[in-house]
Amino acid sequence: MTTRAADHIREKLEQAILTGSYGDGVRLDELQLAEKFEVSRTPIREALQMLAASDLVELIPRRGAFVRHPGFVELVEMFEVMAELEGLCGRLAARRMTDSLLSELKTAEQGCMSALDDGDTDAYYRANEQFHTLLYQASGNSFLTAEAKRLHKRLQPFRRLQLQARGRMWQSMEEHKAILLALETGNAEASAGLLRDHVAIQGEKFHDLMAGYHAQPAGQGVEQMV
Amino acid sequence: MTTRAADHIREKLEQAILTGSYGDGVRLDELQLAEKFEVSRTPIREALQMLAASDLVELIPRRGAFVRHPGFVELVEMFEVMAELEGLCGRLAARRMTDSLLSELKTAEQGCMSALDDGDTDAYYRANEQFHTLLYQASGNSFLTAEAKRLHKRLQPFRRLQLQARGRMWQSMEEHKAILLALETGNAEASAGLLRDHVAIQGEKFHDLMAGYHAQPAGQGVEQMV
DNA sequence: TGTCAAGCTCTTGTATACAAGAATATTGTT
DNA sequence: AACAATATTCTTGTATACAAGAGCTTGACA
């Protein structure tokens, strides 16, 4: 556990940026934030440094910190990398799967199913997240797990958006079933391929979704993309 | 260009850590560093924050910043991920290769060859680095390029070490030739596979190398691994 | 009226001062 | 002599003070 104020502030700002409270290019004023969080500029500056390291803000010398949302092209690029990382997780997980993790994965899958039955998008979202997190762990590669989690988090708002596409939740669950089967039978290459496609298709669905958009009300975390 | 002192200090400390000047677990005292760099604690602290973000040091609240070298297991894990990222670069590069980048790649390959003829390990190392950097760019995915560069940099000292293995430089160049051919003919899957193996083999060679070691004089950037 | 420049203001970058927790030394007790 | 409790010192975390560059305002001139 951390007792540093800067960490807490970073967390808050990160959430605010990821949920779209701060639009692209918005300048984060140190004094304003200092008042808002009731601390001095020092911990604010530390938080901004950390956000810059995660590439959530751009730090321009003598100018300030500016929120930096990924553009459309960058987003597609990120999905491309995420697909590969998940594919690797799948390949390794198929070889290194443990009984306990497999059963946890099945539980998460059950969670997806019942959420789908209830039409509870939020619950589906959480169970889906759990499924993927477990998969990362099953890779048995903690560095990979950390990297996958990092990117997953970064793509979180856009994945959520993409899940709202018509029929996507149902299709996603079908894919999960196939993935679970491949993992259970230890079919490494099948797992890798299925998972890569599973994520890649998210990027493509997202692409489709954006193509029709281009005029979205603010505050949805999308308005900053061209 | 940046005019901030903290960035400069970060750069210096990063080099010092990567080259092994600071061993694993060493505590970086803020006051000491402030004297050494002739600045106050403020920019030192900012530099340490950034290093913590890159996972080069661990920041323990109220205790300080401790250098954190990857252990053997983590290193193998990192090579595993690096192999996959390079593989992806190869797959994309084969599809998106431009004439200009291909010719640059060939130039870098020439550089490797002549360095090998001269027995100049250092020159070979630089040309090899150039080869891989160009490959990343050829992927046409700037996010992937950035991630690959980041991890490449992190593995740099160990890759260098590994190149000293007997016959490895020669073998590496043979692999480069095959990779170039696959890229030139636009064979995406072959490029991906060859590059993945090219890096994976580095991890394995590294493994071999370590197996015999276990008693290395200090200052080589290896002593911190079990 | 538009443009450019000098000065002013505002914000960031750095240094220093202060607060509080952690490590260490000291002293008293068994 | 060994251990525990306490006091002291040292280091980090935070606040404030100071320095300097960026941008804006105002005014002069074309």
Side-chain angles (χ1 to χ4, degrees):
Chain A
M1 214 260 306
T2 159
T3 60
R4 303 178 61 231
D7 290 325
H8 174 248
I9 293 165
R10 186 198 66 91
E11 192 84 17
K12 286 287 201 181
L13 286 177
E14 183 171 303
Q15 279 307 313
I17 292 172
L18 287 179
T19 60
S21 302
Y22 294 108
D24 185 49
V26 166
R27 177 165 147 275
L28 298 175
D29 188 275
E30 296 180 1
L31 268 175
Q32 249 174 264
L33 292 173
E35 281 183 34
K36 182 181 159 84
F37 286 101
E38 297 180 304
V39 294
S40 77
R41 278 175 54 218
T42 310
I44 298 291
R45 283 180 63 85
E46 295 194 349
L48 292 178
Q49 306 269 346
M50 292 190 257
L51 291 175
S54 326
D55 221 41
L56 288 170
V57 308
E58 189 179 1
L59 230 49
I60 302 180
R62 297 258 173 221
R63 296 283 305 275
F66 298 85
V67 175
R68 200 190 150 291
H69 284 292
F72 175 69
V73 171
E74 189 174 356
L75 219 47
V76 171
E77 291 180 350
M78 287 164 83
F79 269 110
E80 207 163 49
V81 174
M82 186 81 233
E84 197 72 12
L85 288 184
E86 292 240 5
L88 177 58
C89 285
R91 182 181 304 120
L92 298 178
R95 297 207 297 248
R96 304 170 180 173
M97 183 61 70
T98 65
D99 286 347
S100 124
L101 271 169
L102 186 62
S103 93
E104 284 191 77
L105 274 165
K106 284 180 178 171
T107 304
E109 176 62 8
Q110 290 294 327
C112 284
M113 277 230 292
S114 39
L116 191 54
D117 280 340
D118 302 351
D120 188 343
T121 313
D122 228 57
Y124 181 89
Y125 174 77
R126 283 196 305 275
N128 184 52
E129 172 134 329
Q130 177 71 359
F131 182 86
H132 283 274
T133 302
L134 286 168
L135 172 77
Y136 303 156
Q137 282 170 20
S139 75
N141 180 326
S142 54
F143 179 76
L144 173 59
T145 300
E147 292 293 299
K149 274 186 182 167
R150 192 168 60 90
L151 192 45
H152 183 95
K153 188 178 186 182
R154 192 84 198 286
L155 290 171
Q156 184 178 321
F158 308 100
R159 194 191 322 276
R160 190 159 209 155
L161 185 72
Q162 171 271 320
L163 269 181
Q164 292 164 9
R166 199 155 50 85
R168 177 59 195 144
M169 285 206 314
W170 188 82
Q171 186 193 346
S172 177
M173 232 196 49
E174 286 302 312
E175 291 166 10
H176 280 197
K177 279 183 193 164
I179 290 162
L180 263 180
L181 185 64
L183 287 174
E184 195 164 6
T185 56
N187 191 336
E189 288 316 311
S191 299
L194 286 169
L195 268 158
R196 186 155 69 192
D197 294 347
H198 177 62
V199 175
I201 220 172
Q202 290 176 11
E204 285 159 26
K205 283 277 173 190
F206 176 80
H207 192 155
D208 297 345
L209 214 61
M210 291 312 301
Y213 256 22
H214 281 263
Q216 171 78 2
Q220 302 288 334
V222 214
E223 74 283 358
Q224 66 278 4
M225 286 168 297
V226 183
Chain B
M1 215 258 306
T2 161
T3 59
R4 302 177 62 231
D7 290 323
H8 173 248
I9 293 165
R10 186 197 67 89
E11 192 83 17
K12 285 289 204 180
L13 285 177
E14 184 172 304
Q15 279 307 313
I17 292 172
L18 287 180
T19 59
S21 301
Y22 293 107
D24 187 48
V26 166
R27 176 167 148 275
L28 298 175
D29 188 275
E30 297 181 359
L31 267 175
Q32 249 174 264
L33 292 172
E35 281 184 35
K36 181 182 162 80
F37 287 100
E38 298 181 303
V39 293
S40 79
R41 278 175 53 218
T42 309
I44 298 292
R45 281 180 64 83
E46 295 194 351
L48 292 177
Q49 304 271 344
M50 294 190 257
L51 291 174
S54 326
D55 220 42
L56 287 171
V57 309
E58 190 177 3
L59 228 50
I60 302 178
R62 297 258 173 220
R63 298 284 304 276
F66 298 84
V67 175
R68 199 189 149 292
H69 284 290
F72 176 68
V73 171
E74 190 175 355
L75 219 46
V76 170
E77 291 180 349
M78 288 164 82
F79 269 111
E80 207 163 47
V81 174
M82 187 80 233
E84 198 71 13
L85 288 184
E86 293 239 4
L88 177 58
C89 286
R91 182 182 303 117
L92 298 178
R95 296 207 297 249
R96 303 170 180 174
M97 183 61 70
T98 65
D99 286 347
S100 121
L101 272 170
L102 185 62
S103 92
E104 284 191 76
L105 274 165
K106 284 181 179 171
T107 304
E109 175 62 8
Q110 290 296 327
C112 284
M113 276 229 291
S114 40
L116 191 54
D117 280 340
D118 303 351
D120 187 342
T121 312
D122 227 57
Y124 182 89
Y125 175 77
R126 281 196 306 275
N128 184 51
E129 174 133 330
Q130 176 70 0
F131 183 86
H132 283 273
T133 302
L134 286 167
L135 173 78
Y136 303 156
Q137 282 171 19
S139 76
N141 181 324
S142 54
F143 178 76
L144 173 59
T145 301
E147 292 293 300
K149 273 187 185 169
R150 193 170 58 91
L151 191 46
H152 183 94
K153 189 178 184 180
R154 193 85 199 285
L155 289 172
Q156 184 178 321
F158 308 101
R159 194 191 321 276
R160 190 160 208 153
L161 184 71
Q162 171 271 321
L163 269 181
Q164 293 164 10
R166 200 155 50 86
R168 178 58 196 143
M169 286 207 312
W170 189 82
Q171 187 193 345
S172 177
M173 231 196 49
E174 288 300 313
E175 291 165 11
H176 280 196
K177 279 183 193 164
I179 289 163
L180 263 179
L181 185 64
L183 287 173
E184 196 164 5
T185 57
N187 191 337
E189 288 316 311
S191 299
L194 286 169
L195 268 158
R196 186 156 69 195
D197 293 347
H198 178 61
V199 176
I201 221 173
Q202 290 175 12
E204 284 159 26
K205 283 279 172 185
F206 176 80
H207 192 155
D208 296 344
L209 214 60
M210 291 311 299
Y213 257 21
H214 280 266
Q216 172 75 4
Q220 304 287 333
V222 216
E223 73 282 1
Q224 67 278 5
M225 287 168 293
V226 181

